[in-house]
Amino acid sequence: MSSTQPKLAVLVKGWPRLSETFIAQELVALQDAGHSFDIWSLRHPTDVKRHPLHDRFSGQVHYLPEYLYQEPQRVWAARDAAQRLPGYAEAYKVWRADLRRDPTHNRIRRFGQACVLAAELPDATQVMYAHFMHTPSSVARYAAIMRGLPWSFSAHAKDIWTSPDWEKTEKLQAKTHGAAFGATCTAIGADHLRSLADDPKRVDLIYHGLDLSRFPAPPERNVREADGSFHMLSVGRLVEKKGFDRLIDAFALLPKALDWHWTHIGGGTLGEALRNRAAAVGVSQRITWAGACDQPGVIAAMRAADLFVLPSRIAADGDRDGLPNVLMEAASQLLPILSTPVSAIPEFIETGTHGVLSGDDPAALASAITQLAAQPDKSAAMATNAYNRLLAEFRMDPGIALLSKRLSALGASKD
């Protein structure tokens, strides 16, 4: 490892997580680029399975107290140690100001976790880097103030669109102990965060891209017959912003003559409700609920499907997708794509060229599915275009190079 590269502490919500392959991909790539770091996780894992990618991480994983009452001795010992750190008084002042505007148990837990983090970080730590701008960045920010370290973050989707502007602004201003830099994976997100920063250069647009070395070459796909069986696939958590409720309603509107089947991969809180919805509209027999799968299982399903469907929409609380990596994964296997023009999805898929972006209402989705099923040649051509765009513009390497440079420069400033 080069002496100019920093020793990082990376903070995440949970590790490992099947739904956050993009984080695992990035951290393994940073490790391969020569960065040495441990992972500090706010939560213990809940997924039974893990991706092969997770096994490539060679550092240690530390779990902070998920709930403070579960590890009282550790928390109180850390609080005592943190109070002796030079920046504790300032961190406490910043946290109290945040607590007045967000008087929640979650905000209290963040400060307790920050005390543990600040007390237990190795002395060699030079830089802190948090994935997600909301809770993980708050913990990183408080701990960084205590320790007198620079910190940085990567923002994605929910953390941008559901966090209050006051909190995002203060995390992007030098005078309020903001991040040295922030990265985000969509142009729409970058524009928003730059509008809140004291210096727009504080925010970098870094697409996750795809590490194509982890994926097989696309299969030789035979164009299906227009009146043949039609197998659709979706991969995503069963939550409101993914729009699967409206997709199920759309299935009920498909032509009787269309021989279709839909497989869903992923877990989520709306599983039972969506299964009941499918039964209510009479389509249960055409659906396979595969549950959570590891990466090899997802790839195998993509290679066997005829259409990838991700009907993203904006949830009632403002949550929405960014640019889901799963769209690029589908493109890597020459799988035609149907999605919606939500958030940053149009940054990868131009409708009619790389796939189809329809309205997120059931009628629009049903119409798009029907047309794609009836036009296999056109669908195949769009899939080829998406694959070519992936190769030309959405590889992982350029983003990792920029992020590595940013982190290295931040660490070098401490020398």
Side-chain angles (χ1 to χ4, degrees), residues 366-376 379:
S367 176
I369 291 169
T370 303
Q371 291 180 41
L372 286 163
Q375 300 175 324
S379 296

Side-chain angles (χ1 to χ4, degrees), residues 98-353:
D98 291 348
L99 184 63
R100 283 193 293 271
R101 292 168 292 187
D102 177 32
T104 62
H105 289 294
N106 185 40
R107 183 66 63 174
I108 296 170
R109 183 165 63 249
R110 294 179 199 181
F111 191 74
Q113 290 175 320
C115 287
V116 175
L117 179 62
E120 296 183 1
L121 277 176
D123 291 339
T125 304
Q126 294 177 308
V127 180
M128 297 179 63
Y129 174 55
H131 259 285
F132 291 103
M133 196 180 183
H134 49 5
T135 305
S137 283
S138 292
V139 175
R141 181 183 177 219
Y142 301 145
I145 296 170
M146 294 179 200
R147 289 286 298 264
L149 297 175
W151 71 281
S152 52
F153 68 83
S154 182
H156 303 291
K158 180 178 182 179
D159 51 330
I160 296 176
W161 305 114
T162 64
S163 296
D165 280 354
W166 66 262
E167 184 166 7
K168 290 179 288 190
T169 298
E170 291 184 9
K171 288 174 178 174
L172 287 164
Q173 306 265 344
K175 64 183 180 181
T176 48
H177 304 284
F181 76 88
T184 190
C185 52
T186 68
I188 189 173
D191 288 344
H192 174 68
L193 295 181
R194 286 167 180 160
S195 74
L196 302 175
D198 53 4
D199 180 357
K201 294 179 181 178
R202 193 182 294 274
V203 178
D204 288 322
L205 169 59
I206 300 179
Y207 286 114
H208 294 306
L210 212 60
D211 177 6
L212 291 172
S213 68
R214 296 191 296 111
F215 293 83
E220 292 290 335
R221 289 187 177 272
N222 297 320
V223 178
R224 52 174 287 277
E225 297 294 328
D227 59 353
S229 61
F230 189 57
H231 186 186
M232 293 173 280
L233 172 70
S234 296
V235 181
R237 290 180 298 130
L238 296 170
V239 295
E240 183 185 0
K241 70 177 179 180
K242 297 297 184 180
F244 294 129
D245 54 339
R246 296 180 180 177
L247 181 60
I248 288 171
D249 289 347
F251 290 152
L253 303 177
L254 293 176
K256 302 289 186 186
L258 181 60
D259 179 17
W260 64 273
H261 192 88
W262 179 57
T263 296
H264 174 270
I265 292 177
T269 56
L270 297 181
E272 183 178 358
L274 292 173
R275 287 177 177 84
N276 292 338
R277 193 181 195 112
V281 299
V283 298
S284 293
Q285 72 280 7
R286 292 181 178 268
I287 295 175
T288 297
W289 302 96
C293 291
D294 58 15
Q295 193 71 40
V298 171
I299 294 171
M302 287 179 169
R303 293 169 73 87
D306 299 306
L307 179 68
F308 187 83
V309 187
L310 188 67
S312 302
R313 64 187 178 98
I314 299 175
D317 65 355
D319 190 14
R320 69 202 73 178
D321 276 328
L323 175 52
N325 263 35
V326 73
L327 294 177
M328 289 176 274
E329 293 173 7
S332 79
Q333 301 305 301
L334 282 175
L335 180 58
I337 293 169
L338 168 61
S339 192
T340 56
V342 169
S343 192
I345 292 173
E347 294 176 32
F348 178 56
I349 301 295
E350 180 182 342
T351 192
T353 301

